[in-house]
């Protein structure tokens, strides 16, 4: 049976850049992008054209930032999609390659971040499970100092983005992908968990804040309704949302303190899944 033709819309680099500018993306700003290529329609040039369009809209003085998480660098004991046999766990822990920012591929965040990661001149932060990549003049300022024991807190690129007055672009992606909300989790009382991962000297276990993206969709829609700071529009076929990191974090701090108890945060929330915005090991967008 022949494959049916694509339904479109047909999206080009120039169209993306123009629609991003119409949405409100400003030349010279710093932009954290969460994205879904498939939501955009039929993009001529695929993820490369999307990155080109984003860089065109940001201009030479702008900085593009994306999550390049590696949730598979985690303890096989907590894998669930799919799980692996228990008798494999010791071998996996003993042989799993450690994180290398130059070669370790991102996982579960989509093809656009992976394209940014491999872009000429791109930089990547140091955390072995929740790294970010960036292109542009403020890439060092955003990425430097990402502590290996601070996934998404005060010593992560999220806090740098907040300080730099960066904005978030949800490009065909939902609020469940909004990593900025995790910075708020670090600022509200939360349990701590043991997280296993491969390290440069072998298997290691670190203590971290327990975080989860459960209820982030609910949080996001309340944030949008209550604050009025979210700009909505369409880019290609995708729904797009644009808003300041600082406003999202500030609102999430209040919302989480009111709506989430410690019982809502799984004991191994990110020990069980080190890619907080993608709760399934195999999920991609």
């Amino acid at each position: 049976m022949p494959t049916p033709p694509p339904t479109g819309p047909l999206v080009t680099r120039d169209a993306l850049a123009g629609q991003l500018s119409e949405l409100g993306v400003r030349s010279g700003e710093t932009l954290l992008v969460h994205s879904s290529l498939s939501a955009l329609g039929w993009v001529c040039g695929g993820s490369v054209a999307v990155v080109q369009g984003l860089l065109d809209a940001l201009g030479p003085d702008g900085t593009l930032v994306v999550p390049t998480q590696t949730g598979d660098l985690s303890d096989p004991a907590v894998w669930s999609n799919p799980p692996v046999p228990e008798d494999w766990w010791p071998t996996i822990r003993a042989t799993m390659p450690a994180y290398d920012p130059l070669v370790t591929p991102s996982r579960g965040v989509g093809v656009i971040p992976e394209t940014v990661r491999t872009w000429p001149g791109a930089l990547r932060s140091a955390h072995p499970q929740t790294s970010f990549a960036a292109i542009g003049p403020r890439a060092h300022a955003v990425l430097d100092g990402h502590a290996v024991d601070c996934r998404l807190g005060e010593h992560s690129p999220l806090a740098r983005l907040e300080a730099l007055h960066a904005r978030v672009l949800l490009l065909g992606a939902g609020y469940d992908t909004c990593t900025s909300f995790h910075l708020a989790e670090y600022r509200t009382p939360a349990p701590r968990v043991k997280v296993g991962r491969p390290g440069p000297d072998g298997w290691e276990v670190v203590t971290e804040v327990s975080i989860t993206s459960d209820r982030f969709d609910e949080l996001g829609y309340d944030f949008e309704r209550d604050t009025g700071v979210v700009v909505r529009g369409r880019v290609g076929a995708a729904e797009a949302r644009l808003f300041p990191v600082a406003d999202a974090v500030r609102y999430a701090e209040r919302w989480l303190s009111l709506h989430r108890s410690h019982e809502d945060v799984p004991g191994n929330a990110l020990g069980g899944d080190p890619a907080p915005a993608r709760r399934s090991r195999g999920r991609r967008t």
Side-chain angles (χ1 to χ4, degrees), residues 192-203:
R192 300 181 73 83
V193 293
K194 300 291 186 180
V195 178
R197 65 193 188 197
D201 299 315
W203 193 256

Side-chain angles (χ1 to χ4, degrees), residues 27 81 84 193 219 253 261 278:
S27 178
N81 189 25
V84 293
V193 293
L219 163 57
E253 287 183 61
S261 67
R278 290 286 185 266

Side-chain angles (χ1 to χ4, degrees), residues 12-76:
T12 66
R13 168 184 176 175
D14 289 345
L16 286 167
Q19 291 168 355
L20 288 165
S21 296
E22 290 173 7
L23 181 70
V25 173
R26 299 188 294 260
S27 178
E29 74 171 310
T30 300
L31 194 65
L32 171 60
V33 178
H34 300 284
S35 58
S36 168
L37 178 62
S38 61
L40 289 167
W42 197 92
V43 181
C44 181
S47 60
V48 171
V50 176
V51 175
Q52 290 172 331
L54 285 163
L55 293 175
D56 290 344
L58 289 168
D61 296 325
T63 299
L64 172 62
V65 185
V66 296
T68 51
Q69 297 168 357
T70 47
D72 50 330
L73 300 187
S74 56
D75 194 338

Side-chain angles (χ1 to χ4, degrees), residues 18 35 102 105 114 146 194 239 248 266:
S35 58
L102 295 177
E114 181 65 4
H146 193 175
K194 300 291 186 180
E239 186 170 29

Side-chain angles (χ1 to χ4, degrees), residues 58-224:
L58 289 168
D61 296 325
T63 299
L64 172 62
V65 185
V66 296
T68 51
Q69 297 168 357
T70 47
D72 50 330
L73 300 187
S74 56
D75 194 338
V78 296
W79 292 353
S80 60
N81 189 25
V84 293
E86 185 172 352
D87 60 354
W88 292 10
W89 298 352
T91 301
I92 291 173
R93 291 173 183 140
T95 61
M96 185 184 294
Y99 172 71
D100 183 334
L102 295 177
V103 301
T104 303
S106 59
R107 184 182 179 104
V109 290
V111 66
I112 294 171
E114 181 65 4
T115 301
V116 172
R117 181 188 74 80
T118 59
W119 203 263
L123 302 176
R124 192 180 190 186
S125 68
H127 196 280
Q129 293 172 321
T130 56
S131 65
F132 292 77
I135 304 168
R138 285 180 289 280
H140 278 292
V142 171
L143 303 177
D144 284 357
H146 193 175
V148 296
D149 61 350
C150 183
R151 290 175 290 196
L152 298 168
E154 302 300 336
H155 301 290
S156 78
L158 292 177
R160 303 289 182 87
L161 288 165
E162 179 188 40
L164 289 168
H165 307 290
R167 292 195 291 173
V168 176
L169 172 64
L170 300 181
L171 188 59
Y175 281 109
D176 64 318
T177 70
C178 182
T179 49
S180 297
F181 290 154
H182 289 296
L183 180 56
E185 288 186 295
Y186 275 74
R187 295 175 179 173
T188 56
R192 300 181 73 83
V193 293
K194 300 291 186 180
V195 178
R197 65 193 188 197
D201 299 315
W203 193 256
E204 61 186 21
V205 178
V206 297
T207 301
E208 257 286 8
V209 172
S210 180
I211 58 179
T212 175
S213 57
D214 288 347
R215 301 187 70 186
F216 273 13
D217 274 333
E218 181 184 353
L219 163 57
Y221 288 116
D222 285 353
F223 164 63
E224 185 173 314

